[in-house]
Amino acid sequence: MGVAAHPLMTTSLRVAAVGDLHCTRTSEGTFQSLFAKIGESADVLVLCGDLTDYGTPEEARVLAKELGATKLPKVAVLGNHDFESGAADEVSRILADAAGVTVLDGTATEVLGVGFAGAKGFAGGFGPRALQSWGEGPVKAFVAAAVEETMKLESALARLRTRGRVAVLHYAPIGATVDGEPVEIYPFLGSSRLEEPINRYRPDVVFHGHAHRGQLEGATSAGVPVYNVALPLLRRRFPEQPFRVIEIPVGDEPSGHGAEVPAMGARA
Ligand SMILES: [Fe+2]
Ligand SMILES: [Fe+2]
């Protein structure tokens, strides 16, 4: 069930997630029905980066207007595309001011009794063959960027005091949800460094985007569910409802993992 008049009286919160909207300056009108449908199906909307296509303030303004189709609280992280024009701060500011989006960047927020920890994440690859900090300076700088994003995610997770907790990323923290992409680009789709703080803090669920041709679901080595909510992937798999809705517990009992809302028909 979702949030009624008083959130403390409910037992779960319906969290909708989608990423990789890649909103352009000509996207006006193309997302309103999606956001309206999400508004009818969930209590909170999570946006997993690549909100814009080129990271321009103009695109952010178009998206902010589209987001007006739903009154849900909105939590987001930016993606690599949102940095393309060197205006990421302005993109965040526009989404916050014009659409009420809480943009997380190594930070945490609480919405209706559920905690959200977010960071963009970064690349580097998965498992024992992941890129290591060794050799040339540029390689070390690349790895340092992944380490920094991992520390951001960790400090955000550490701040949460709620029973129900959600981790929001753009890049994938595990290889399983990028499976299906060309193997040559696996290392650019995420980093298993991000998996470490997730396994330590055990949020109920992790959402990420970025892997447009990956898999819908996976889990970390500690069993934390991971959902790839890249819109191109969701549109192919669930054309009628290209978003995920996961129920996150609100209450005092020991936390379990989030469960998919069965009535939403999100499964293929
Ligand atoms: Fe994307
Ligand atoms: Fe991306």
Side-chain angles (χ1 to χ4, degrees):
M1 71 184 273
V3 167
H6 198 300
L8 294 177
M9 295 176 68
T10 65
T11 56
S12 64
L13 192 74
R14 298 171 302 170
V15 179
V18 64
D20 300 271
L21 303 169
H22 291 269
C23 184
T24 72
R25 59 196 178 86
T26 60
S27 292
E28 190 171 341
T30 59
F31 292 113
Q32 287 176 12
S33 64
L34 171 66
F35 293 141
K37 198 178 263 190
I38 290 172
E40 294 163 4
S41 315
D43 305 305
V44 186
L45 170 58
V46 169
L47 298 167
C48 292
D50 284 358
L51 311 176
T52 62
D53 207 23
Y54 283 85
T56 66
E58 186 183 13
E59 290 175 339
R61 278 189 283 272
V62 171
L63 180 59
K65 203 170 169 193
E66 296 295 291
L67 284 166
T70 173
K71 297 281 173 273
L72 293 187
K74 301 162 194 79
V75 175
V77 295
L78 298 185
N80 54 315
H81 279 247
D82 302 311
F83 283 79
E84 171 60 17
S85 298
D89 288 346
E90 198 177 346
V91 166
S92 293
R93 200 160 47 240
I94 290 166
L95 292 173
D97 293 347
V101 180
T102 301
V103 181
L104 301 176
D105 178 21
T107 50
T109 189
E110 194 180 315
V111 182
L112 302 170
V114 168
F116 296 81
K120 175 178 59 66
F122 197 60
F126 305 96
R129 294 199 176 103
L131 188 64
Q132 300 300 317
S133 184
W134 200 89
E136 303 96 315
V139 171
K140 290 176 177 169
F142 191 96
V143 172
V147 171
E148 187 185 342
E149 287 295 319
T150 301
M151 286 164 58
K152 281 185 175 185
L153 176 63
E154 170 147 21
S155 67
L157 285 165
R159 278 188 211 120
L160 295 180
R161 295 288 177 267
T162 49
R163 177 194 168 213
R165 290 166 300 136
V166 175
V168 185
L169 288 165
H170 180 60
Y171 286 84
I174 59 171
T177 47
V178 310
D179 228 11
E181 295 273 2
V183 290
E184 293 86 350
I185 67 167
Y186 273 35
F188 308 120
L189 295 172
S191 165
S192 37
R193 291 177 196 278
L194 299 164
E195 186 181 6
E196 294 165 19
I198 293 166
N199 281 345
R200 206 168 318 125
Y201 286 92
R202 309 265 179 118
D204 296 275
V205 65
V206 181
F207 294 115
H208 74 83
H210 192 52
H212 294 198
R213 289 160 292 191
Q215 300 296 315
L216 293 168
E217 299 174 22
T220 69
S221 57
V224 178
V226 176
Y227 291 85
N228 176 359
V229 294
L231 182 58
L233 172 65
L234 295 178
R235 278 207 200 282
R236 283 196 301 277
R237 298 295 295 273
F238 313 124
E240 299 303 314
Q241 187 187 289
F243 55 91
R244 300 307 290 263
V245 179
I246 306 296
E247 285 202 10
I248 301 299
V250 176
D252 298 330
E253 304 94 313
S255 180
H257 292 314
E260 178 128 21
V261 183
M264 298 315 301
R267 287 185 183 278

